[in-house]
Amino acid sequence: MPRPSVQSARLNEIVEAAAKCVAQYGLEGVTLDRIAEETGLKRPLIRHHAGNREEIINAVVTHVLSGFGELTTMFANALPAKRGSYAAVDHLFDDHGHSDPAEMMVFQSIVAAADRFPAEAEALLKWVGDFTAVVVEAIKRDFPEVESEAAETVAHGIVALYFNVDSLAPLKPPHAWRRYAKNAALLLLRSLEDNAGTQRAP
């Protein structure tokens, strides 16, 4: 049996190579041959360290979602108690707010193959829900008077705008598109200000 440190290093190497395959070819394009070509390892050694193709795909998804989860926790912890919803918009739509293109390709590949990889799709959907919940809670802190439905609606709109502009990042769209998306997100938040003002009015 290899030492745990060697096993872990090999597994990480294989998972990262498989992630590159997903980014290039989609989930269906992950094969032991392509991973072997990427890593320089023999197929039996790949199976020994990482299992079969399905287990490797699951490991890639787990790896990517783990990274997304860590970023979500950092995102939540960075939001101030006051005006956290506006801070969230600033963070999501600033010039450095987009995801790693390779990870975004993995994300899109899971979405595209959801019917064939239901467990992986369910895990991704849970993360999207957790991520959206961070924005919802920030909005509820900033706008305690508004109804939960309004907070959820605005949060989902902001997250949808973020995912839309983020998914286009590999195409290198005009910088103005990110600014327009941020402006749209701010308009959604300001609609809550109007809503809260109306509820406070006699």
Side-chain angles (χ1 to χ4, degrees):
M1 289 287 291
R3 296 191 307 274
S5 58
V6 174
Q7 168 69 16
S8 178
R10 285 294 193 204
L11 179 59
N12 287 339
E13 182 183 4
I14 293 165
V15 168
E16 289 176 4
K20 290 181 180 178
C21 291
V22 174
Q24 287 184 276
Y25 308 108
L27 288 177
E28 297 286 7
V30 176
T31 66
L32 293 182
D33 286 336
R34 282 176 171 152
I35 295 171
E37 183 178 355
E38 184 71 32
T39 60
L41 301 174
K42 300 293 186 182
R43 285 168 52 111
L45 192 59
I46 292 171
R47 283 195 295 269
H48 173 72
H49 286 292
N52 59 30
R53 176 178 175 274
E54 288 70 26
E55 290 171 319
I56 292 172
I57 289 174
N58 184 264
V60 170
V61 174
T62 299
H63 171 73
V64 170
L65 289 179
S66 176
F68 285 169
E70 290 175 6
L71 289 174
T72 300
T73 299
M74 292 172 58
F75 172 52
N77 291 339
L79 299 182
K82 294 183 178 180
R83 294 184 66 80
S85 57
Y86 286 93
V89 168
D90 286 340
H91 175 81
L92 294 176
F93 297 97
D94 72 12
D95 292 338
H96 306 290
H98 55 80
S99 303
D100 177 86
E103 291 183 346
M104 182 50 62
M105 290 301 295
V106 174
F107 179 103
Q108 293 174 352
S109 295
I110 298 170
V111 173
D115 59 332
R116 297 184 297 283
F117 297 90
E120 288 78 5
E122 183 178 354
L124 182 60
L125 190 62
K126 181 183 182 304
W127 169 74
V128 173
D130 292 343
F131 180 79
T132 304
V134 173
V135 182
V136 172
E137 290 307 310
I139 289 172
K140 288 182 176 180
R141 287 196 302 270
D142 289 343
F143 304 96
E145 302 95 340
V146 303
E147 295 181 357
S148 180
E149 179 77 7
E152 290 277 358
T153 298
V154 169
H156 278 78
I158 291 171
V159 171
L161 286 163
Y162 168 68
F163 282 141
N164 179 66
V165 72
D166 208 40
S167 67
L168 297 175
L171 299 178
K172 298 181 180 179
H175 180 73
W177 289 15
R178 183 169 287 271
R179 185 175 75 252
Y180 298 149
K182 180 177 181 179
N183 289 343
L186 290 173
L187 285 173
L188 287 171
L189 283 178
R190 287 167 189 152
S191 74
L192 292 178
E193 292 180 354
D194 296 339
N195 189 317
T198 300
Q199 292 187 18
R200 287 195 297 268

